[in-house]
Amino acid sequence: MVIINSTILSGAGAIPSLTSLLPGIRKLLLVTDSNIAQLNGVQQIRALLEKHCPQVSVNDNVPAEPTHHDVRQQMANLGNASFDVVVGVGGGSVLDVAKLLSVLCHPDSPGLDALLAGEKPTQRVQSWLIPTTAGTGSEATPNAILAIPEQSTKVGIISPVLLPDYVALFPELTTSMPAHIAASTGIDALCHLLECFTATVANPVSDNAALTGLSKLFRHIQPAVNDPQDLRAKLEMLWASYYGGVAITHAGTHLVHALSYPLGGKYHLPHGVANAILLAPCMAVVRPYAVEKFARVWDCIPDADTSLSAEAKSHALVAWLQALVNQLKLPNNLADLGVPPEDIASLSEAALNVKRLMNNAPCQLDQQDVQAIYQTLFPQHKFKE
C-alpha cells in the first residue's frame, strides 16, 4: 500500500499561502510551459517565488505529450545545477516532468535510462505540484508518463518517491482553460475514477476515493466547462481530479488508458481527447463484468433513476457516458483526427503490450477484441450502446 503524505493547500484566493513554504528555500526550479507561464495566476506565483527565494530558475518549455528525448534535453540544459525544491505548475505533462526532474536533480539519482529500464529512485529534492487543469491527477500519483516515439507508445515510471511534498489546488489557475480543454481534462479524470473503481486491483481505499471523486465530478463538470469563472465548480473539479490520482495510486487504470496510449504515442492526440473517444466503447466491454459497480456509479449521478435494476443501471451508465462526451462537444471518432482505419491492427498490438494496464481490466481481451473496440471509433462502425 502506497501512503500519500502530501500536504494540500486549497481554495480560491489561497495563492499567497505559498509563502509559508518558502523559508529556508534558496534555490528553486520552476517547471511549466510557455503558454501556462503567461497566465495571470502563474505570473503571480512566479512573482511570489522570486520575492521570497534568492534564486529561481525557470524551465518553461515542457512540451505537450513529452518524450524521453525531451527530458534528456532538459537535463542537459540544467547542466550541474542543484536545487532545494522543484515546483511544477501546469497540466499533467508539466507535473510529470517536474516529478522526474525532482528525482534526476538529486545527486544520487539513477539516470533516465535506468529509470526507464525499471530501476526505482530512492531520493529526490523537495517537490511541490500545482495543477492548472482538472484532469490528470498527476499531483496525487507516483507515476510519470513519457512517450516513447520509437515504439509508438508511452511508458510509466512509477515510484512512491515521485509523490510530492506539497500539492496546491488553486481554482483561479483553471479559469483560462478553453472549454474543450476543460472538457477533455475532466473526462480524463472521469476515466481515472471509473477505471480504478472497476479494476481487478480495486480495494476499499481506491473505491472510497473513486466514489468521492465521481460524485464531485458528475455535479460539477458541466458547470466548470460552461462557466469558466465558477470558482466553486472549478475547485470541485480540481478535487475530483485529485481523488482520481489517489485512486490510481491505490489501484490503477485499465482499458481506456491502455488503448489511448498508442493514440498519444503515435498520433500525439491529446490524452483527454483520446480517452473521451474510448470511454463509452471500453466501458461497454467492461460492463458485463462490473454490473454492480456500474450500478453504484449510476447512483452518484444527480437525478439518476435509482429505482432501476442493477443491470438496467449498468446499461444506462454506458449510454450516459457517451451522451456526456457528446454534450461536452468532444470528438467521437478517430477519422476526424487523422487516424487511418488501416492502423487498427498495429494500434491493437501496441495496446495489448501495455500489460501493466491491461492486466487491471476485469475482463481478458485478445487482439480481435481490442480491434473491435478501435473499429467502433470510425464513422462506418460508430459506437452504440
Side-chain angles (χ1 to χ4, degrees):
M1 181 69 70
V2 175
I3 297 174
I4 301 175
N5 58 5
S6 306
T7 299
I8 302 175
L9 310 178
S10 171
I15 288 176
S17 64
L18 289 172
T19 56
S20 65
L21 311 183
L22 286 165
I25 302 297
R26 301 196 60 80
K27 293 184 178 181
L28 181 150
L29 174 63
L30 175 61
V31 181
T32 185
D33 71 37
S34 57
N35 292 321
I36 291 169
Q38 304 307 312
L39 300 180
N40 288 337
V42 178
Q43 291 181 345
Q44 181 184 350
I45 290 172
R46 178 173 177 175
L48 183 151
L49 297 177
E50 290 177 338
K51 179 179 178 180
H52 294 276
C53 180
Q55 184 175 328
V56 175
S57 300
V58 179
N59 170 3
D60 62 0
N61 62 356
V62 176
E65 308 293 335
T67 71
H68 62 110
H69 301 298
D70 296 319
V71 174
R72 291 182 209 283
Q73 184 59 55
Q74 293 188 3
M75 285 302 298
N77 293 343
L78 291 173
N80 295 320
S82 62
F83 302 97
D84 299 315
V85 60
V86 174
V87 180
V89 184
S93 294
V94 167
L95 301 188
D96 281 5
V97 169
K99 287 193 283 189
L100 284 175
L101 292 180
S102 73
V103 168
L104 294 170
C105 286
H106 192 281
D108 296 328
S109 168
L112 181 59
D113 285 334
L115 295 177
L116 289 168
E119 185 173 342
K120 302 298 183 183
T122 58
Q123 298 185 77
R124 58 161 171 76
V125 301
Q126 192 175 145
S127 169
W128 309 350
L129 298 181
I130 307 174
T132 60
T133 63
T136 70
S138 179
E139 68 278 4
T141 75
N143 307 346
I145 309 299
L146 292 179
I148 309 296
E150 297 84 355
Q151 300 173 17
S152 298
T153 190
K154 299 180 180 181
V155 299
I157 297 170
I158 304 170
S159 168
V161 172
L162 293 175
L163 287 163
D165 297 283
Y166 293 94
V167 171
L169 304 179
F170 300 145
E172 297 93 335
L173 299 184
T174 70
T175 58
S176 63
M177 277 193 296
H180 71 281
I181 300 295
S184 64
T185 54
I187 292 295
D188 188 22
L190 172 52
C191 292
H192 296 159
L193 294 160
L194 186 52
E195 287 178 89
C196 289
F197 189 57
T198 55
T200 57
V201 289
N203 55 75
V205 175
S206 63
D207 282 359
N208 285 335
L211 289 174
T212 301
L214 286 166
S215 294
K216 290 179 177 295
L217 187 144
F218 289 154
R219 285 170 171 77
H220 297 287
I221 185 170
Q222 287 174 302
V225 170
N226 295 333
D227 182 2
Q229 300 307 315
D230 187 337
L231 292 183
R232 180 190 174 194
K234 292 291 189 181
L235 181 58
E236 290 293 324
M237 284 300 297
L238 281 169
W239 274 107
S241 177
Y242 179 83
Y243 278 113
V246 173
I248 290 173
T249 297
H250 290 98
T253 58
H254 50 81
L255 286 190
V256 175
H257 276 71
L259 271 66
S260 76
Y261 274 15
L263 294 173
K266 184 171 185 178
Y267 296 102
H268 308 293
L269 297 188
H271 181 62
V273 170
N275 284 355
I277 294 172
L278 284 159
L279 175 58
C282 286
M283 288 302 119
V285 172
V286 169
R287 187 204 63 78
Y289 305 89
V291 170
E292 293 298 328
K293 282 206 161 182
F294 271 38
R296 293 175 67 186
V297 173
W298 173 258
D299 289 343
C300 292
I301 298 172
D303 302 322
D305 183 356
T306 57
S307 68
L308 298 174
S309 68
E311 182 76 11
K313 288 177 181 179
S314 70
H315 283 286
L317 177 63
V318 176
W320 189 89
L321 293 171
Q322 186 61 63
L324 177 63
V325 170
N326 294 339
Q327 290 163 10
L328 294 174
K329 300 179 181 179
L330 291 168
N332 61 10
N333 76 82
L334 291 178
D336 290 347
L337 299 173
V339 179
E342 294 79 16
D343 283 3
I344 286 177
S346 62
L347 288 169
S348 301
E349 183 178 353
L352 285 167
N353 282 332
V354 189
K355 299 185 187 301
R356 174 177 64 89
L357 303 186
M358 293 297 294
N359 290 341
N360 289 341
C363 49
Q364 293 185 341
L365 276 66
D366 59 22
Q367 183 150 350
Q368 185 175 355
D369 297 324
V370 176
Q371 287 183 357
I373 295 174
Y374 278 126
Q375 284 172 349
T376 67
L377 309 184
F378 292 90
Q380 60 268 40
H381 302 287
K382 193 169 182 180
F383 168 76
K384 292 180 181 180
E385 162 59 8

